[in-house]
Amino acid sequence: MARIIGGLTTSHIPSIGNAIARKQFQDPYWKPFFDGFPPIRAWLDQHKPDVAVVIYNDHGLNFFLDKMPTFAIGAAPEYSHEDEGWGIPTLAPFKGDPALSWHIINSMVAEEFDICSCQEMTVDHGFTVPMELFWGDSGTPPVRTVPISINTVQHPIPTPARCYKFGLALGRAIASYPSDAKVVVLGTGGLSHQLDGKRAGFINKPFDLMCMEKIVSAPEELARISTHDLVLQAGAQGAEFILWLAMRGALQGHVRALHQNYHAPVSNTAGACMLLENAA
Ligand code: DHB
Ligand code: FE
């Protein structure tokens, strides 16, 4: 059966994509953020997962406000990255894994999660920036991908509890896939940030650090936060933390943080990454 060997998290803002394109890895402004990634890349290089299941949110490239699925799963042979208007260079298409995608979609629907299945799907910075951060910016990453977009853009967004349970079901789906594939699950976005309104630029470091600790030790506690309180504590766009919770739900082995980094602000967000090992 397929095996989830770890979980990866990172912030995904478009300005990171631009800094990667400009190779600003040593730039004093960006270095404290980019320095979080070499240990994670080394771990990926050592363990060589076959598949990345990427939990992110689409920001208007593939879905817009007129049609907004709560949970959408890609089931395409490949996923293209198109111009989102942020000035990020578009990347080569990412490889899909339609057989695994359909297995996950069937399992999730059987577990009463109603899924929008997408046989064509474009992916935005919420997907592409993490892929570059984890696998480098030179060429196609050496993994097949299953994109999972969860609505964090237009209310009502799914609650932290719902997303954690989504992750639990996702973990069972992957663990019942007849294959010896090694899988990593990504949760992207966050941490605290707010792009507009009176609180534009809002960052809440104590809340972020609490989330980074409890995502390892007490995810059920984080899953009890209401959507309202999450937006209050993390900012309107910091609600993307539900994507981390969905990732964490899928890890039900012996979970420990092998590496983490937090640096704020990065552009107008709290920039963070984590590598969670999921041992048998
Ligand atoms: C920004 C942050 C996001 O999370 C996002 O998805 C898009 C833009 C920003 O900081 O500009
Ligand atoms: Fe975002």
Side-chain angles (χ1 to χ4, degrees):
M1 294 297 159
R3 198 159 47 90
I4 300 176
I5 61 169
L8 312 175
T9 70
T10 175
S11 311
H12 66 209
I13 56 171
S15 54
I16 300 169
N18 277 312
I20 293 172
R22 297 190 185 118
K23 306 224 177 279
Q24 292 175 312
F25 309 113
Q26 297 302 321
D27 181 293
Y29 181 83
W30 287 100
K31 188 172 163 42
F33 174 74
F34 286 124
D35 278 354
F37 292 89
I40 304 182
R41 288 200 202 183
W43 183 88
L44 288 166
D45 206 37
Q46 184 189 346
H47 293 277
K48 298 192 173 32
D50 304 293
V51 181
V53 173
V54 184
I55 303 172
Y56 73 109
N57 68 296
D58 184 89
H59 301 74
L61 179 73
N62 192 88
F63 306 114
F64 200 58
L65 304 182
D66 57 338
K67 298 180 194 70
M68 183 57 70
T70 301
F71 299 112
I73 301 184
E78 64 173 33
Y79 303 96
S80 66
H81 176 214
E82 294 177 5
D83 185 0
E84 310 171 49
W86 300 103
I88 315 175
T90 51
L91 305 174
F94 294 82
K95 280 179 291 191
D97 187 337
L100 175 57
S101 288
W102 281 114
H103 174 83
I104 292 173
I105 292 165
N106 281 314
S107 307
M108 298 303 284
V109 172
E111 294 220 35
E112 303 179 355
F113 284 90
D114 303 315
I115 302 297
C116 175
S117 57
C118 304
Q119 298 188 65
E120 288 182 10
M121 194 173 184
T122 53
V123 288
D124 74 6
H125 66 275
F127 177 104
T128 63
V129 164
M131 293 302 287
E132 286 191 286
L133 287 167
F134 293 132
W135 280 280
D137 59 332
S138 52
T140 313
V143 280
R144 304 186 296 280
T145 62
V146 176
I148 301 183
S149 175
I150 300 182
N151 171 30
T152 70
V153 168
Q154 175 160 263
H155 290 277
I157 65 175
T159 61
R162 182 76 174 147
C163 291
Y164 185 65
K165 287 181 200 158
F166 181 95
L168 293 172
L170 175 65
R172 289 190 287 270
I174 294 168
S176 66
Y177 185 59
S179 141
D180 57 7
K182 286 191 280 185
V183 179
V184 285
V185 181
L186 276 59
T188 88
L191 284 173
S192 58
H193 64 302
Q194 172 146 340
L195 301 183
D196 52 14
K198 286 198 187 119
R199 295 203 305 164
F202 174 77
I203 285 177
N204 185 348
K205 183 171 179 180
F207 181 76
D208 290 337
L209 295 181
M210 184 277 290
C211 286
M212 290 175 77
E213 185 191 322
K214 294 208 166 159
I215 194 111
V216 183
S217 59
E220 303 83 359
E221 211 175 296
L222 297 174
R224 284 196 288 272
I225 300 174
S226 68
T227 299
H228 182 272
D229 283 345
L230 182 58
V231 169
L232 200 65
Q233 296 287 336
Q237 281 68 41
E240 289 174 345
F241 185 66
I242 59 176
L243 308 169
W244 290 39
L245 270 175
M247 173 284 301
R248 178 62 177 86
L251 313 183
Q252 292 297 317
H254 181 66
V255 176
R256 64 187 175 122
L258 295 183
H259 175 73
Q260 65 185 55
N261 187 51
Y262 181 91
H263 177 67
V266 176
S267 185
N268 50 10
T269 189
C273 64
M274 297 185 79
L275 164 59
L276 304 184
E277 178 188 57
N278 186 48

